[in-house]
Amino acid sequence: MTDYPQPTPQDERSYPFDKIEPKWQKFWRDKGLFKVDTASYKDKFYCLMMFPYPSAALHVGHGRNYIIGDVVARYKMMRGFNVLTPMGFDAFGLPAENAAIKGGIHPEESTLNNIKTMKRQLDQWGVEYDWDRIVISCDPAYYKWTQWIFTKLYEKGLAYKKKAFVNWCPSCKTVLANEQVVNGACERCDSEVLQKDLEQWFFKITHYAERLLKDLEKLPNWPDRVKAMQKNWIGKSEGVEIDFKIENLADTLKCYTTRIDTIYGATFIALAPEHPLVEKLISGSPDEKNSLKAINKMRAESKISRADAEVAKEGVFTGRFVINPVNHEKVPIWVANYILMEYGTGAIMAVPAHDQRDFEFAKLYKLPIKVVIDDPKHPLDAGTMKEAHIGEGIMANSGQFNGMKSEVAVEKIADYFEEKKMGKRSTQYKLRDWLISRQRYWGAPIPIVYCPKCGIVSVPEKDLPVLLPKNVEFRPTGESPLKFSEDFVNTKCPKCHGPAKRETDTMDTFVDSSWYYLRYITPKLKDKPFDTGLVNRWLPVDQYIGGVEHAILHLLYSRFITKFLFDIKMTGFDEPFKNLFTQGMIIKDGAKMSKSKGNVVSPDKLIADYGADTVRLYTLFIGPPEKDAEWSDRGTEGSYRFLGRVWRLVEKIHSSSLRGAEGDEAISKVKIASAASQPRNDSLKRKTHLTIKKVTEDLDGGFHFNTAISSIMELVNETYDLSVSEIANDAVKQKVMSEAVEAIVILLSPFVPHIAEELWSNLGKPSSIFRMKWPEYDRSAIVEDVVTIVVQVNGKLRSKVEVPSDIKEEGLRQMVLADPKIKEITSGKTIKNFIIVPKKLVNIVIG
RNA sequence: GGGCAAGUGGUGGAAUGGCAUACACGAAGGACUUAAAAUCCUUUGGCCGCAAGGUCGUGAGGGUUCAACUCCCUCCUUGCCCACCA
């Protein structure tokens, strides 16, 4: 048995982060480091992070967004910008309402509690904001203006009401947003989502479809991925709308096609079950009753299964025919479940030979298949084809167009249709109008009043906000909870002052978040949503940072609202976010971090164990920030070790040993590095300036935090090669060393602000480090007198030679060929080519 | 079916035409310690070799080039988004 004392755990902490982090956080807040006076907009930089929904608590995956934003803000600050970084909360929404139904706590209470928790977490991370500008979307002072935007859209005819099919969860008894429907089932309870036909409010985003598409070109600094997703979502296609004459009826049937070149191959027409002409077409047909029954079945089914692509094709013949205008053939009209009423005209000309869906349908109902686009080398045979020929080819069986390339015929036939007035060119979009009404409680009420005399009346600005009443029974019944609040519903008509009723639906929370970035500039303004003059100075946002999951919805809606506000001259810009950065997700155990999967890593414990700087550093070092990354608890220890190394470097070498030249015992034992080709002080000075260059380029050229940090690690490693005794007696080395250490601290400061601030002050420098100028590298310090040239023979590395950096070609050639290894390899061989990449490489090509 | 990413050591990743594997994790060994932790140092792609060195090697196959992880073509795999969109 031993009687030695047990180890004490105090040394587990290699530097006192628990003391310094709260200290500097308080310092920044007391000094108002992040407070901005928007009146001075010279060198402004608007750094915006997507504001969060206030859920219970943040995990380290959320943290990535805020940490990245904080690094950008601090870096830009040191580059002399007047940086605005505000934060707020997207505080309306279903989760709080559901929690309230379960737990009985009012959504407002739980939301405000969650905001408190999240704010504390952000504070502990050392992520700083101008909190005076906080914007909370459930605050009446904010949603007043959300409602105001609604009324403006309504005035311009861009907010309207219509009957529409919406997603309905029978078990939650509520309407769901499209994004809450996953593979046809409710996101939360997994029951099958039904469709209900309800009166709904829409924003006419389709009015902006072309501009939303075209203006993507104005956004060169958005990720291509996001632009591609938006483009895809808007889904523009150009084609021809054909007018088909219906045999024995006065009506024309309009069909939209992008493949007018296949018109001669149309062997049937297919209508969506919901097409308005369906009843008229089948009336009088011998099998009218059964047909209608089958069509009604399709109507019911097709809507449920719309989310499910693998539904079998089904159809009913109407008994009617159209006349194909190009060849006067009779073409039968069918009703088919795969045709969508929402797209195009809800009717298509079906060309089985050249469209896979039409092909399957034709096979099923034994309809004719006619090849009109052929490949002369491998002619198609309609009888034996296994699938449709989708691609281009040579026109066949197409009258006057035979022999043309199909891509030419597309234009020729379109011209022909327009000349003969048989149809016209037409552009279609997949984008649908934005359904914004929700039969839910926890949202901004739609500011509309229904008056028996005046009809639909929007609430005038002086009566806004329409306050969300607090005492409402919001248990799900399938109807808007506000319907049951008599005080809320019964009101006076703003026009005739007679009794009237309020709209009881609330707005989609995406409406709240589609303009919040404008509110931050003048967050407390009472008489306007924002000050146009100031907003025009501060926007567009210089850097927007957020998750790619918002690539379509939030970013598209925000662009739409910005364009609308531009059109009504509220703003002078029509794109809100100049630069967009979308960070990757943090993965744990192969899945996205989420509470339901039970793989969340809480920052609170990590910060308690290692400090915020370690968590920040690891989050930034884990990999390229735009990519997903697997979280490893081990990895945090590496970051922690590195910070300890920096701490000891500054504390021991610089502040004590250098001055006293005493030499800390542990440090004096550091080995003296092996001889280098240059004097060590030169090499360290050069490395210092190369590191400044590299870190600056990594931050300016993109968000390459991981490589910036690794280059600082290299510099730290190099300083460890110098021993204390080496420095102590050499004034030049001391200078080089302190320059390196200062560079390390300042270059690290955006990433790990607390330790940097502490070390900076320990070095005797004035606080705050974030009021310092970002260092610039010295060109003369990075030039080399001697460079190492890599010598390849026939592309293979064979040797390295050191040459003066200003060597001429002939001299270099001689030195390279004089190298013993090269001499041996090249002896007796003919040198065919001698390629020189200056200061880098030589490649000798021999026979 | 369409669109977009990505595929490199035991692991996260670096290198965007010029030394493949920087930096870090993990592992092994050493110094310090009664011991451990911490710290500091060394080694660490495979194969052959005592070594010097050689050789193979960035999902697969081809191509362009003096030179390819990088550019081009074909294919495979994984992930994400969209999807009976005419």
Side-chain angles (χ1 to χ4, degrees), chain A residues 257-258 311 313 338 340 343 357 430 622 624 641 645 706 710 713-714 717 800 835 843:
Chain A
T257 182
T258 54
V311 166
K313 300 228 167 355
Y338 69 97
L340 304 171
Y343 188 74
R357 294 152 305 182
K430 287 189 215 170
I622 192 168
R641 267 203 301 254
R645 231 163 121 79
N706 53 331
S710 72
M713 286 173 169
E714 286 179 51
N717 290 347
K800 291 180 186 182
I835 289 144
N843 190 12

Coordinates of all heavy atoms in Angstrom, one line a residue, chain A residues 257-258 311 313 338 340 343 357 430 622 624 641 645 706 710 713-714 717 800 835 843, chain B residues 2 12 14 18-19 22-26 34 36 39-40 54-55 66 81 84-86:
Chain A
T257 N -47.8 21.8 -74.0 CA -46.8 20.8 -74.3 C -45.4 21.5 -74.5 O -45.4 22.6 -75.0 CB -47.0 19.9 -75.5 OG1 -46.0 19.0 -75.6 CG2 -47.1 20.7 -76.8
T258 N -44.4 20.9 -74.0 CA -43.0 21.4 -74.3 C -42.4 20.7 -75.5 O -41.4 21.0 -75.9 CB -42.1 21.2 -73.1 OG1 -42.1 19.8 -72.7 CG2 -42.4 22.0 -71.9
V311 N -47.8 5.4 -57.9 CA -49.2 4.9 -58.0 C -49.5 4.5 -59.4 O -49.1 5.0 -60.4 CB -50.2 6.1 -57.6 CG1 -51.6 5.8 -58.0 CG2 -50.1 6.3 -56.1
K313 N -51.2 3.7 -63.0 CA -51.9 4.6 -63.9 C -53.4 4.1 -64.0 O -53.6 2.9 -64.0 CB -51.2 4.6 -65.2 CG -49.8 5.2 -65.1 CD -49.6 6.2 -66.2 CE -48.3 6.9 -65.9 NZ -47.5 6.6 -64.7
Y338 N -52.9 10.5 -63.8 CA -51.6 11.1 -63.6 C -51.5 12.5 -64.1 O -50.4 13.1 -64.2 CB -50.5 10.2 -64.3 CG -50.6 10.1 -65.8 CD1 -49.7 10.9 -66.6 CD2 -51.4 9.2 -66.5 CE1 -49.8 10.8 -68.0 CE2 -51.5 9.1 -67.9 CZ -50.6 9.9 -68.6 OH -50.7 9.8 -70.0
L340 N -52.2 16.5 -63.6 CA -52.4 17.4 -62.5 C -53.1 18.6 -63.0 O -52.7 19.2 -64.0 CB -51.1 17.8 -61.9 CG -50.1 16.7 -61.4 CD1 -48.8 17.3 -61.1 CD2 -50.7 16.0 -60.2
Y343 N -51.0 22.1 -62.9 CA -49.9 22.5 -63.8 C -50.4 22.6 -65.2 O -51.3 21.8 -65.7 CB -48.8 21.4 -63.8 CG -47.6 21.9 -64.5 CD1 -46.8 22.8 -64.0 CD2 -47.3 21.3 -65.7 CE1 -45.7 23.3 -64.6 CE2 -46.2 21.8 -66.4 CZ -45.3 22.7 -65.9 OH -44.3 23.2 -66.6
R357 N -44.6 8.2 -69.4 CA -45.9 8.0 -68.7 C -47.0 7.7 -69.7 O -47.9 6.8 -69.4 CB -46.3 9.3 -67.9 CG -45.3 9.6 -66.8 CD -45.2 11.1 -66.5 NE -44.8 11.8 -67.7 CZ -44.6 13.1 -67.8 NH1 -44.8 13.8 -66.7 NH2 -44.3 13.7 -68.9
K430 N -43.7 25.9 -62.2 CA -44.2 25.0 -61.2 C -44.6 25.7 -59.9 O -45.3 25.2 -59.0 CB -43.1 23.9 -60.8 CG -42.9 22.9 -61.9 CD -42.0 21.8 -61.4 CE -41.1 21.4 -62.6 NZ -40.0 20.5 -62.1
I622 N -13.5 21.4 -37.3 CA -14.0 20.1 -37.6 C -14.0 19.7 -39.1 O -13.9 18.6 -39.5 CB -15.4 19.9 -37.0 CG1 -16.0 18.5 -37.0 CG2 -16.4 20.8 -37.8 CD1 -17.2 18.3 -36.2
P624 N -14.6 21.7 -43.5 CA -15.1 22.9 -44.2 C -16.5 23.2 -43.7 O -17.3 22.3 -43.7 CB -15.1 22.4 -45.6 CG -14.3 21.2 -45.7 CD -14.3 20.6 -44.3
R641 N -6.3 21.0 -25.9 CA -4.9 20.9 -25.8 C -4.1 22.0 -26.5 O -3.1 22.5 -26.0 CB -4.4 19.5 -26.4 CG -4.4 18.4 -25.4 CD -3.5 17.3 -25.7 NE -3.8 16.6 -26.9 CZ -4.4 15.4 -27.0 NH1 -4.7 14.8 -25.9 NH2 -4.6 14.8 -28.1
R645 N -1.6 24.9 -25.1 CA -0.3 25.1 -25.7 C 0.0 26.5 -25.9 O 1.1 27.1 -25.7 CB -0.2 24.3 -27.0 CG 1.0 23.4 -27.2 CD 0.6 22.4 -28.3 NE 1.6 22.5 -29.4 CZ 2.8 21.9 -29.4 NH1 3.2 21.3 -28.3 NH2 3.6 22.1 -30.4
N706 N -11.1 26.1 -41.1 CA -10.4 24.9 -40.7 C -8.9 25.0 -41.1 O -8.0 24.7 -40.4 CB -11.0 23.6 -41.2 CG -11.3 23.7 -42.7 OD1 -11.5 24.8 -43.3 ND2 -11.2 22.6 -43.4
S710 N -5.5 25.6 -38.9 CA -4.3 24.6 -38.9 C -3.0 25.4 -39.2 O -2.0 25.0 -38.8 CB -4.6 23.5 -40.0 OG -4.5 24.0 -41.3
M713 N -1.8 26.7 -36.1 CA -1.2 25.5 -35.3 C 0.2 25.3 -35.8 O 1.1 25.0 -34.9 CB -2.0 24.3 -35.5 CG -3.4 24.3 -34.7 SD -4.4 22.9 -35.2 CE -5.7 23.0 -33.9
E714 N 0.5 25.4 -37.1 CA 1.8 25.2 -37.6 C 2.8 26.2 -37.0 O 3.9 25.9 -36.6 CB 1.8 25.3 -39.1 CG 1.2 24.1 -39.8 CD 1.3 24.2 -41.3 OE1 2.3 24.5 -41.9 OE2 0.2 24.1 -41.9
N717 N 3.5 25.4 -33.5 CA 4.5 24.3 -33.4 C 5.9 24.8 -33.7 O 6.8 24.3 -33.1 CB 4.1 23.2 -34.5 CG 2.9 22.5 -34.1 OD1 2.4 22.6 -32.9 ND2 2.3 21.7 -35.0
K800 N 15.8 16.7 -54.9 CA 15.5 18.1 -54.5 C 16.8 18.9 -54.5 O 17.8 18.4 -54.0 CB 14.9 18.3 -53.2 CG 13.5 17.7 -53.2 CD 12.8 17.8 -51.8 CE 11.5 17.1 -51.8 NZ 10.8 17.2 -50.5
I835 N 11.5 21.1 -68.4 CA 10.4 22.1 -68.0 C 10.7 22.7 -66.7 O 11.1 22.0 -65.7 CB 9.1 21.3 -68.0 CG1 8.7 21.0 -69.4 CG2 8.0 22.1 -67.3 CD1 8.0 19.7 -69.6
N843 N 11.1 19.5 -64.4 CA 10.8 18.1 -64.9 C 11.6 17.9 -66.1 O 11.6 18.6 -67.1 CB 9.3 18.0 -65.2 CG 8.9 16.6 -65.5 OD1 9.7 15.7 -65.3 ND2 7.7 16.4 -66.1
Chain B
rG2 P -32.8 11.1 -65.7 OP1 -32.2 11.2 -67.0 OP2 -32.1 10.4 -64.7 O5' -33.2 12.5 -65.2 C5' -33.7 13.5 -66.0 C4' -34.0 14.8 -65.3 O4' -34.9 14.5 -64.2 C3' -32.8 15.4 -64.6 O3' -32.0 16.1 -65.5 C2' -33.5 16.2 -63.5 O2' -34.0 17.4 -64.0 C1' -34.6 15.3 -63.1 N9 -34.2 14.4 -61.9 C8 -33.9 13.1 -62.0 N7 -33.5 12.6 -60.8 C5 -33.6 13.7 -59.9 C6 -33.3 13.8 -58.5 O6 -33.0 12.9 -57.8 N1 -33.5 15.1 -58.1 C2 -33.9 16.2 -58.9 N2 -34.1 17.4 -58.2 N3 -34.2 16.1 -60.2 C4 -34.0 14.9 -60.6
rG12 P -13.3 9.7 -41.8 OP1 -14.7 9.5 -42.3 OP2 -12.2 9.5 -42.7 O5' -13.2 11.1 -41.2 C5' -14.2 11.6 -40.3 C4' -13.8 13.0 -39.8 O4' -12.6 12.9 -39.1 C3' -13.5 13.9 -41.0 O3' -14.7 14.4 -41.6 C2' -12.7 15.0 -40.2 O2' -13.6 15.8 -39.5 C1' -11.9 14.2 -39.3 N9 -10.6 13.9 -40.0 C8 -10.3 12.7 -40.7 N7 -9.0 12.8 -41.2 C5 -8.5 14.0 -40.7 C6 -7.2 14.5 -40.9 O6 -6.3 14.1 -41.5 N1 -7.1 15.8 -40.3 C2 -8.1 16.4 -39.6 N2 -7.8 17.6 -39.0 N3 -9.3 15.9 -39.4 C4 -9.5 14.7 -40.0
rA14 P -10.7 19.8 -46.3 OP1 -11.2 21.2 -46.1 OP2 -11.2 19.0 -47.4 O5' -9.1 19.8 -46.3 C5' -8.4 20.8 -45.6 C4' -6.9 20.7 -45.9 O4' -6.4 19.4 -45.7 C3' -6.6 21.0 -47.4 O3' -6.6 22.4 -47.6 C2' -5.1 20.5 -47.4 O2' -4.3 21.4 -46.8 C1' -5.3 19.2 -46.5 N9 -5.3 18.0 -47.2 C8 -6.4 17.1 -47.4 N7 -6.1 16.0 -48.1 C5 -4.8 16.2 -48.4 C6 -3.9 15.4 -49.2 N6 -4.3 14.2 -49.7 N1 -2.7 15.9 -49.3 C2 -2.3 17.1 -48.8 N3 -3.1 17.9 -48.1 C4 -4.3 17.4 -47.9
rG18 P -1.4 22.1 -58.8 OP1 -2.1 21.3 -57.9 OP2 -1.3 23.6 -58.7 O5' 0.1 21.6 -58.8 C5' 0.3 20.2 -59.1 C4' 1.8 19.9 -59.0 O4' 2.4 20.1 -60.3 C3' 2.6 20.8 -58.0 O3' 3.5 19.9 -57.4 C2' 3.3 21.8 -59.0 O2' 4.5 22.2 -58.4 C1' 3.5 21.0 -60.2 N9 3.5 21.7 -61.5 C8 2.9 22.9 -61.7 N7 3.0 23.3 -63.0 C5 3.7 22.2 -63.6 C6 4.1 22.0 -64.9 O6 4.0 22.7 -65.9 N1 4.8 20.8 -65.1 C2 5.0 19.9 -64.1 N2 5.7 18.8 -64.4 N3 4.6 20.1 -62.8 C4 4.0 21.2 -62.6
rC19 P 3.1 19.1 -56.1 OP1 2.2 18.0 -56.5 OP2 2.7 20.0 -55.0 O5' 4.6 18.5 -55.8 C5' 5.2 17.5 -56.6 C4' 5.9 16.6 -55.7 O4' 6.9 17.3 -55.0 C3' 5.0 16.0 -54.6 O3' 5.4 14.6 -54.4 C2' 5.2 16.8 -53.4 O2' 5.1 16.2 -52.2 C1' 6.7 17.2 -53.6 N1 7.1 18.4 -52.9 C2 8.1 18.3 -51.9 O2 8.6 17.2 -51.6 N3 8.4 19.5 -51.3 C4 7.9 20.6 -51.6 N4 8.3 21.7 -50.9 C5 6.9 20.7 -52.6 C6 6.5 19.6 -53.2
rA22 P 0.6 14.8 -43.4 OP1 1.9 14.1 -43.8 OP2 -0.2 14.2 -42.3 O5' 0.9 16.3 -43.0 C5' 1.8 17.1 -43.7 C4' 1.4 18.5 -43.7 O4' 0.3 18.7 -44.7 C3' 0.9 19.1 -42.4 O3' 1.9 19.5 -41.6 C2' 0.0 20.2 -42.9 O2' 0.9 21.3 -43.3 C1' -0.6 19.7 -44.2 N9 -1.9 19.0 -44.0 C8 -2.2 17.7 -44.1 N7 -3.5 17.5 -43.8 C5 -4.0 18.7 -43.5 C6 -5.3 19.1 -43.1 N6 -6.3 18.3 -43.0 N1 -5.4 20.4 -42.8 C2 -4.4 21.3 -42.9 N3 -3.2 21.0 -43.3 C4 -3.0 19.7 -43.6
rC23 P 2.0 19.1 -40.1 OP1 3.1 19.8 -39.4 OP2 1.9 17.6 -40.0 O5' 0.6 19.6 -39.5 C5' 0.3 21.0 -39.3 C4' -1.1 21.2 -38.8 O4' -2.0 20.9 -39.9 C3' -1.6 20.2 -37.7 O3' -1.2 20.6 -36.4 C2' -3.1 20.3 -37.9 O2' -3.6 21.5 -37.4 C1' -3.2 20.3 -39.4 N1 -3.3 18.9 -40.0 C2 -4.5 18.2 -40.0 O2 -5.5 18.8 -39.5 N3 -4.6 17.0 -40.4 C4 -3.5 16.4 -40.9 N4 -3.6 15.1 -41.4 C5 -2.2 17.0 -40.9 C6 -2.2 18.3 -40.4
rA24 P -0.8 19.5 -35.3 OP1 -0.4 20.3 -34.1 OP2 0.0 18.5 -35.9 O5' -2.3 18.9 -35.1 C5' -3.2 19.6 -34.3 C4' -4.6 18.8 -34.4 O4' -4.9 18.6 -35.8 C3' -4.6 17.5 -33.8 O3' -4.7 17.5 -32.4 C2' -5.9 16.9 -34.4 O2' -7.0 17.5 -33.9 C1' -5.7 17.4 -35.9 N9 -5.0 16.4 -36.7 C8 -3.7 16.3 -37.1 N7 -3.4 15.2 -37.8 C5 -4.6 14.5 -37.8 C6 -5.0 13.3 -38.4 N6 -4.2 12.5 -39.1 N1 -6.3 12.9 -38.3 C2 -7.1 13.7 -37.6 N3 -6.9 14.8 -37.0 C4 -5.6 15.2 -37.1
rC25 P -4.2 16.3 -31.5 OP1 -4.4 16.8 -30.1 OP2 -2.9 15.8 -32.0 O5' -5.3 15.2 -31.8 C5' -6.7 15.3 -31.3 C4' -7.5 14.2 -31.8 O4' -7.4 14.1 -33.3 C3' -7.1 12.8 -31.4 O3' -7.5 12.5 -30.1 C2' -7.8 12.0 -32.4 O2' -9.2 11.9 -32.1 C1' -7.6 12.8 -33.7 N1 -6.4 12.3 -34.4 C2 -6.5 11.1 -35.1 O2 -7.5 10.4 -35.1 N3 -5.4 10.6 -35.8 C4 -4.3 11.3 -35.8 N4 -3.2 10.8 -36.5 C5 -4.1 12.6 -35.1 C6 -5.2 13.0 -34.4
rG26 P -6.5 11.7 -29.2 OP1 -7.2 11.7 -27.8 OP2 -5.1 12.3 -29.2 O5' -6.5 10.3 -29.8 C5' -7.7 9.5 -29.8 C4' -7.4 8.3 -30.7 O4' -7.1 8.7 -32.1 C3' -6.2 7.4 -30.3 O3' -6.5 6.5 -29.3 C2' -6.0 6.7 -31.6 O2' -6.9 5.6 -31.8 C1' -6.2 7.8 -32.6 N9 -5.0 8.5 -32.9 C8 -4.6 9.8 -32.5 N7 -3.4 10.2 -32.9 C5 -3.0 9.1 -33.7 C6 -1.7 8.9 -34.4 O6 -0.8 9.7 -34.5 N1 -1.7 7.7 -35.0 C2 -2.7 6.7 -34.9 N2 -2.4 5.6 -35.6 N3 -3.8 6.9 -34.3 C4 -3.9 8.1 -33.7
rU34 P 9.9 10.3 -8.4 OP1 10.0 10.7 -7.0 OP2 11.1 10.2 -9.2 O5' 9.2 8.8 -8.4 C5' 10.0 7.6 -8.3 C4' 9.2 6.5 -8.0 O4' 8.5 6.7 -6.7 C3' 8.0 6.2 -8.9 O3' 8.5 5.5 -10.1 C2' 7.1 5.4 -8.1 O2' 7.5 4.1 -8.0 C1' 7.2 6.1 -6.7 N1 6.2 7.1 -6.5 C2 4.9 6.7 -6.3 O2 4.6 5.5 -6.3 N3 4.0 7.7 -6.0 C4 4.3 9.0 -5.9 O4 3.3 9.8 -5.7 C5 5.6 9.4 -6.2 C6 6.5 8.4 -6.4
rA36 P 3.4 5.0 -14.8 OP1 3.2 3.9 -15.8 OP2 4.6 5.9 -15.0 O5' 2.1 5.9 -14.8 C5' 0.8 5.4 -15.0 C4' -0.2 6.3 -14.5 O4' 0.1 6.8 -13.2 C3' -0.6 7.5 -15.3 O3' -1.3 7.2 -16.4 C2' -1.4 8.3 -14.3 O2' -2.7 7.7 -14.1 C1' -0.6 8.0 -13.0 N9 0.2 9.1 -12.6 C8 1.6 9.2 -12.8 N7 2.1 10.4 -12.4 C5 1.0 11.1 -12.0 C6 0.8 12.4 -11.4 N6 1.8 13.2 -11.2 N1 -0.5 12.8 -11.1 C2 -1.5 11.9 -11.3 N3 -1.4 10.7 -11.8 C4 -0.2 10.3 -12.1
rU39 P -1.7 17.6 -22.2 OP1 -2.4 18.6 -23.0 OP2 -1.6 16.2 -22.6 O5' -0.2 18.1 -22.0 C5' 0.1 19.4 -21.6 C4' 1.6 19.5 -21.2 O4' 1.9 18.5 -20.2 C3' 2.5 19.2 -22.4 O3' 2.7 20.3 -23.2 C2' 3.8 18.9 -21.6 O2' 4.5 20.0 -21.2 C1' 3.3 18.1 -20.4 N1 3.2 16.6 -20.6 C2 4.4 15.9 -20.5 O2 5.5 16.5 -20.2 N3 4.3 14.6 -20.7 C4 3.2 13.8 -21.0 O4 3.3 12.6 -21.1 C5 2.0 14.6 -21.1 C6 2.1 16.0 -20.9
rC40 P 2.8 20.1 -24.8 OP1 2.7 21.5 -25.4 OP2 1.9 19.1 -25.2 O5' 4.3 19.6 -24.9 C5' 5.4 20.5 -24.6 C4' 6.7 19.7 -24.6 O4' 6.6 18.8 -23.5 C3' 7.0 18.9 -25.8 O3' 7.5 19.6 -26.9 C2' 8.0 17.9 -25.2 O2' 9.2 18.5 -25.1 C1' 7.4 17.6 -23.9 N1 6.5 16.4 -23.9 C2 7.1 15.2 -23.8 O2 8.3 15.1 -23.7 N3 6.3 14.1 -23.8 C4 5.0 14.2 -23.9 N4 4.3 13.1 -23.9 C5 4.4 15.5 -24.0 C6 5.2 16.6 -24.0
rG54 P 14.7 5.8 -55.1 OP1 15.1 6.5 -56.3 OP2 13.9 6.5 -54.1 O5' 14.0 4.5 -55.4 C5' 14.5 3.6 -56.4 C4' 13.8 2.2 -56.3 O4' 13.9 1.8 -55.0 C3' 12.4 2.2 -56.7 O3' 12.2 2.2 -58.1 C2' 11.9 0.9 -56.0 O2' 12.3 -0.2 -56.8 C1' 12.7 0.9 -54.7 N9 11.9 1.5 -53.6 C8 12.1 2.7 -52.9 N7 11.3 2.9 -52.0 C5 10.5 1.7 -52.0 C6 9.4 1.3 -51.1 O6 8.9 1.9 -50.2 N1 8.9 0.1 -51.5 C2 9.4 -0.7 -52.5 N2 8.8 -1.9 -52.7 N3 10.4 -0.4 -53.3 C4 10.9 0.8 -52.9
rU55 P 11.0 3.1 -58.7 OP1 11.2 3.0 -60.2 OP2 11.0 4.4 -58.0 O5' 9.8 2.2 -58.3 C5' 9.5 0.9 -58.9 C4' 8.5 0.2 -58.1 O4' 8.8 0.2 -56.7 C3' 7.1 1.0 -58.0 O3' 6.4 0.7 -59.2 C2' 6.5 0.3 -56.8 O2' 6.0 -1.0 -57.0 C1' 7.7 0.3 -55.8 N1 7.8 1.4 -54.9 C2 7.0 1.4 -53.8 O2 6.3 0.5 -53.5 N3 7.2 2.5 -53.0 C4 8.0 3.6 -53.2 O4 8.0 4.5 -52.4 C5 8.8 3.6 -54.4 C6 8.6 2.5 -55.2
rC66 P 2.9 17.1 -73.7 OP1 3.7 18.1 -74.4 OP2 2.4 15.9 -74.4 O5' 3.7 16.6 -72.5 C5' 4.8 15.7 -72.7 C4' 5.6 15.6 -71.4 O4' 6.2 16.9 -71.1 C3' 4.8 15.3 -70.1 O3' 4.5 13.9 -70.0 C2' 5.7 15.8 -69.0 O2' 6.7 14.9 -68.7 C1' 6.3 17.1 -69.7 N1 5.5 18.3 -69.4 C2 5.6 18.9 -68.1 O2 6.3 18.3 -67.3 N3 5.0 20.0 -67.8 C4 4.2 20.6 -68.8 N4 3.5 21.7 -68.4 C5 4.1 20.0 -70.1 C6 4.7 18.9 -70.4
rC81 P -33.5 16.2 -48.1 OP1 -34.2 16.8 -47.0 OP2 -33.7 14.8 -48.5 O5' -33.8 17.1 -49.4 C5' -33.6 18.5 -49.3 C4' -33.7 19.1 -50.7 O4' -32.7 18.5 -51.6 C3' -35.0 18.8 -51.5 O3' -36.1 19.5 -51.1 C2' -34.6 19.1 -52.9 O2' -34.5 20.4 -53.2 C1' -33.2 18.5 -52.9 N1 -33.1 17.1 -53.4 C2 -33.2 16.8 -54.8 O2 -33.3 17.8 -55.6 N3 -33.1 15.6 -55.2 C4 -33.1 14.5 -54.4 N4 -33.0 13.3 -54.9 C5 -33.0 14.7 -53.0 C6 -33.1 16.0 -52.5
rC84 P -45.2 14.6 -58.5 OP1 -46.5 15.2 -58.0 OP2 -44.6 13.6 -57.6 O5' -45.4 14.0 -59.9 C5' -45.4 12.7 -60.2 C4' -45.1 12.4 -61.7 O4' -45.6 11.1 -62.0 C3' -45.8 13.4 -62.6 O3' -45.2 13.4 -63.9 C2' -47.2 12.8 -62.7 O2' -47.9 13.1 -63.9 C1' -46.8 11.3 -62.8 N1 -47.8 10.4 -62.2 C2 -47.7 9.0 -62.6 O2 -46.9 8.7 -63.5 N3 -48.6 8.2 -62.1 C4 -49.5 8.6 -61.2 N4 -50.3 7.7 -60.7 C5 -49.5 10.0 -60.7 C6 -48.7 10.8 -61.3
rC85 P -43.9 14.3 -64.3 OP1 -43.5 13.9 -65.6 OP2 -42.9 14.2 -63.2 O5' -44.4 15.8 -64.3 C5' -45.1 16.3 -65.5 C4' -44.8 17.8 -65.5 O4' -45.6 18.4 -64.5 C3' -43.3 18.1 -65.3 O3' -42.8 18.9 -66.3 C2' -43.3 18.7 -63.9 O2' -42.4 19.7 -63.7 C1' -44.7 19.2 -63.7 N1 -45.1 18.9 -62.3 C2 -45.3 20.0 -61.4 O2 -45.2 21.1 -61.9 N3 -45.6 19.8 -60.2 C4 -45.8 18.5 -59.7 N4 -46.1 18.3 -58.5 C5 -45.6 17.4 -60.6 C6 -45.2 17.6 -61.8
rA86 P -42.5 19.6 -67.3 OP1 -41.1 19.8 -67.7 OP2 -43.4 20.7 -66.9 O5' -43.0 18.8 -68.5 C5' -43.8 19.4 -69.5 C4' -44.6 18.4 -70.2 O4' -45.4 17.6 -69.3 C3' -45.7 19.0 -71.1 O3' -45.2 19.4 -72.4 C2' -46.7 17.9 -71.2 O2' -46.2 16.9 -72.1 C1' -46.7 17.3 -69.8 N9 -47.7 17.9 -69.0 C8 -48.3 19.1 -69.1 N7 -49.2 19.4 -68.2 C5 -49.3 18.2 -67.5 C6 -50.1 17.8 -66.4 N6 -51.0 18.6 -65.9 N1 -49.9 16.6 -65.9 C2 -49.0 15.8 -66.5 N3 -48.2 16.1 -67.5 C4 -48.4 17.3 -68.0

